[in-house]
């Protein structure tokens, strides 16, 4: 087995394993009993996406994709921070008391109809 | 300390100017040469403390990479091991370091080490709360962190 | 020779990613799952970027890839810490098998103000 054969095989194996990890993480995204589990699996999806782009960079040999991976890491970090703040303030935030509750809106709408 | 680092950078830039090429590799090479020059005059100008600290920070980085690898292997073992025999706990850890950047560094190091994840720091910066995935003895864990990372951080950054 | 190193790095990294994903499914509550995602996942994707740095052999690309690795190592613990804290403050209960809970009762209000150990 030559070096380039081994390299191609390694890229194929890691593509397969990464896609399997994607599927498992999406399983947790669907199952996740709490919101925190879902945020965690979204964070994990971003991490896996970075890994996938890294493998794709090596597969095509076109190194401009590397910038995309770094930018995705930045955006993913900010998204997780925003989600964590949302999780913390959804119960107690300054507007939580005044915000219209979904059931109330539904009730009002159905009252208007009748 | 920062002054000597600035002199080091200045010498590296001078190297680049004289060479006429500002590539990253050339800057690194100039940095290596100028630190060599500073190392030669360590007796006369007292730069040996600078090198000692640089060595300690380098040691902290190596320790960090080693612990990261160990931690991943341990989590991997917990994942692969059949059955569910975890013993997770929230542990409080009394902090000796008190400056914000030292606490940040310690919390980050703790998160990436075997079986521990820092959850929060109390408002008065005295207690760090850690979540451990598999703890057998609370006192042993506290002692490990205090003697390992916390002491190294205090040696390297003070 | 370089291809062998990169290929091995890639396979090891994707195995780490797979372990993180399995851990995400297997562990009992969100705090323990965070261990799997923040450690194994970070090292997995980080190692893939290291593989790019090794394979390219160019200083500009390698330095960019290594800067990316340093960035992930810095941000992963921060997002794990934020998420764990938010989950605890939002009242997501730890797994019933949690043995010791020193955090219990230390959060003074729902804004996340935390009292120290000796204060209470």
């Amino acid at each position: 087995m030559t070096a380039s054969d081994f390299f191609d095989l390694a890229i194929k194996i890691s593509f397969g394993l990464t896609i399997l990890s994607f599927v498992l993480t999406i399983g947790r995204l669907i199952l996740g009993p709490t919101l925190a589990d879902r945020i965690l699996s979204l964070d994990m999806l971003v991490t896996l996406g970075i890994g996938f782009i890294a493998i794709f960079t090596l597969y095509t040999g076109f190194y401009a994709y590397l910038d995309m991976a770094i930018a995705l890491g930045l955006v993913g970090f900010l998204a997780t921070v925003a989600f964590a703040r949302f999780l913390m303030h959804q119960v107690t935030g300054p507007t939580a008391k005044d915000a219209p509750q979904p059931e109330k809106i539904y009730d009002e709408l159905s009252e208007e109809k009748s | 300390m920062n002054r000597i680092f600035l002199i080091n950078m200045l010498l590296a830039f001078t190297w680049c100017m004289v060479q006429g090429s500002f590539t990253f590799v050339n800057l690194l090479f100039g940095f290596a040469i100028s630190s060599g020059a500073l190392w030669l005059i360590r007796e006369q100008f007292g730069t040996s403390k600078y090198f000692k600290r640089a060595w300690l920070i380098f040691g902290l980085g190596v320790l960090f990479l080693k612990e990261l690898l160990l931690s991943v292997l341990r989590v991997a073992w917990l994942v692969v091991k059949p059955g569910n025999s975890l013993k997770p706990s929230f542990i409080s850890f009394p902090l000796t370091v008190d400056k914000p950047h030292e606490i940040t560094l310690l919390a980050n190091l703790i998160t990436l080490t075997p079986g521990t994840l820092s959850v929060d720091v109390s408002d008065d910066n005295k207690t760090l709360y850690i979540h451990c995935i598999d703890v057998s003895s609370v006192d042993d864990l506290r002692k490990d962190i205090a003697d390992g990372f916390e002491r190294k951080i205090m040696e390297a950054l003070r | 020779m370089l291809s062998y190193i990169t290929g091995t790095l890639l396979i090891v990294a994707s195995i780490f990613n797979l372990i993180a994903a399995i851990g995400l499914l297997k562990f009992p509550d969100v705090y323990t799952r965070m261990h799997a995602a923040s450690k194994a996942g970070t090292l997995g994707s980080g190692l893939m970027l290291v593989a790019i740095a090794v394979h390219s052999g160019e200083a500009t690309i390698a330095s960019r890839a290594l800067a990316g690795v340093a960035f992930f190592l810095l941000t992963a613990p921060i997002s794990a810490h934020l998420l764990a804290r938010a989950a605890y403050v939002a009242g997501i209960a730890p797994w019933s098998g949690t043995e010791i809970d020193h955090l219990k009762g230390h959060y003074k209000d729902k804004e996340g103000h935390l009292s120290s150990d000796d204060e209470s």
Side-chain angles (χ1 to χ4, degrees):
Chain A
M1 188 192 252
T2 62
S4 70
D5 279 349
F6 176 73
F7 187 64
D8 288 345
L9 186 68
I11 280 184
K12 270 174 197 149
I13 291 175
S14 38
F15 264 137
L17 290 181
T18 308
I19 288 169
L20 189 59
S21 334
F22 264 117
V23 172
L24 291 178
T25 312
I26 287 172
R28 176 48 70 195
L29 185 68
I30 295 167
L31 286 176
T34 62
L35 182 58
D37 290 291
R38 298 206 164 92
I39 297 173
L40 185 65
S41 42
L42 283 176
D43 190 37
M44 185 69 203
L45 280 183
V46 169
T47 313
L48 287 176
I50 291 161
F52 194 87
I53 295 172
I55 304 171
F56 196 70
T57 308
L58 285 174
Y59 176 64
T60 54
F62 188 56
Y63 289 105
Y65 287 126
L66 185 58
D67 293 335
M68 213 160 78
I70 292 172
L72 184 62
L74 244 169
V75 174
F77 171 62
L78 285 183
T80 311
V81 171
F83 268 132
R85 288 197 71 80
F86 167 69
L87 177 64
M88 226 173 108
H89 287 274
Q90 62 170 357
V91 202
T92 62
T95 52
K97 256 180 284 170
D98 316 324
Q101 302 295 319
E103 310 89 67
K104 260 191 197 164
I105 298 177
Y106 182 76
D107 288 345
E108 280 168 14
L109 281 179
S110 46
E111 272 169 27
E112 271 173 26
K113 260 186 202 167
S114 58
Chain B
M1 249 356 93
N2 288 328
R3 213 167 49 94
I4 302 175
F5 182 72
L6 274 182
I7 293 173
N8 208 340
M9 282 308 288
L10 198 67
L11 285 174
F13 268 112
T14 316
W15 169 265
C16 284
M17 274 190 232
V18 171
Q19 288 275 306
S21 80
F22 275 94
T23 59
F24 182 72
V25 181
N26 204 21
L27 191 67
L28 271 186
F29 189 53
F31 193 81
I33 288 179
S34 57
S35 11
L38 284 174
W39 187 72
L40 279 180
I41 57 165
R42 67 192 180 282
E43 297 288 327
Q44 285 79 16
F45 290 87
T47 52
S48 60
K49 212 178 157 197
Y50 171 70
F51 285 102
K52 206 175 155 200
R53 173 175 280 199
W55 178 248
L56 282 174
I57 290 177
F58 179 72
L60 196 65
V62 170
L63 178 75
F64 169 69
L65 286 182
K66 195 192 96 194
E67 294 278 326
L68 176 63
L69 203 66
L70 282 180
S71 114
V72 171
L73 291 180
R74 191 166 155 195
V75 167
W77 170 239
L78 282 176
V79 169
V80 173
K81 193 169 65 170
N84 205 342
S85 59
L86 300 174
K87 281 190 231 155
S89 325
F90 290 93
I91 304 284
S92 65
F93 175 72
L95 286 167
T96 317
V97 291
D98 48 3
K99 296 197 186 66
H101 65 273
E102 290 168 352
I103 296 176
T104 311
L105 188 60
L106 181 66
N108 272 9
L109 290 179
I110 283 175
T111 297
L112 291 175
T113 50
T116 52
L117 189 146
S118 50
V119 176
D120 208 350
V121 184
S122 66
D123 286 352
D124 55 359
N125 286 354
K126 276 186 189 149
T127 312
L128 181 69
Y129 290 93
I130 306 168
H131 182 261
C132 307
I133 198 168
D134 195 9
V135 67
S136 44
S137 158
V138 178
D139 289 330
D140 279 359
L141 183 91
R142 283 180 179 160
K143 217 171 126 249
D144 276 354
I145 296 173
D147 287 349
F149 280 133
E150 203 172 27
R151 224 188 53 211
K152 288 251 168 153
I153 285 176
M154 273 156 75
E155 277 171 1
L157 294 183
R158 281 187 181 173
Chain C
M1 188 58 213
L2 216 58
S3 299
Y4 285 112
I5 298 175
T6 343
T8 318
L9 271 178
L10 271 182
I11 293 178
V12 169
S14 42
I15 287 174
F16 279 145
N17 270 346
L18 186 66
I19 283 172
I22 296 174
L24 215 58
L25 271 182
K26 187 189 168 189
F27 284 163
D29 69 348
V30 66
Y31 305 100
T32 44
R33 278 171 205 146
M34 231 167 262
H35 283 272
S38 72
K39 285 170 196 150
T42 309
L43 193 72
S45 288
L47 274 185
M48 284 177 184
L49 289 181
V50 171
I52 292 182
V54 171
H55 190 76
S56 72
E58 281 176 56
T60 49
I61 292 167
S63 66
R64 231 187 309 165
L66 291 182
V69 174
F71 180 74
F72 292 134
L73 288 186
L74 273 181
T75 55
I78 296 174
S79 54
H81 147 72
L82 271 172
L83 204 52
R85 177 170 182 265
Y88 202 95
V89 172
I92 291 169
W95 181 46
S96 55
T98 303
E99 290 203 334
I100 310 163
D101 192 351
H102 284 168
L103 253 179
K104 203 171 191 177
H106 275 297
Y107 276 108
K108 283 183 269 186
D109 49 29
K110 281 280 185 180
E111 292 289 313
H113 290 295
L114 184 63
S115 66
S116 156
D117 221 13
D118 41 343
E119 258 178 43
S120 57

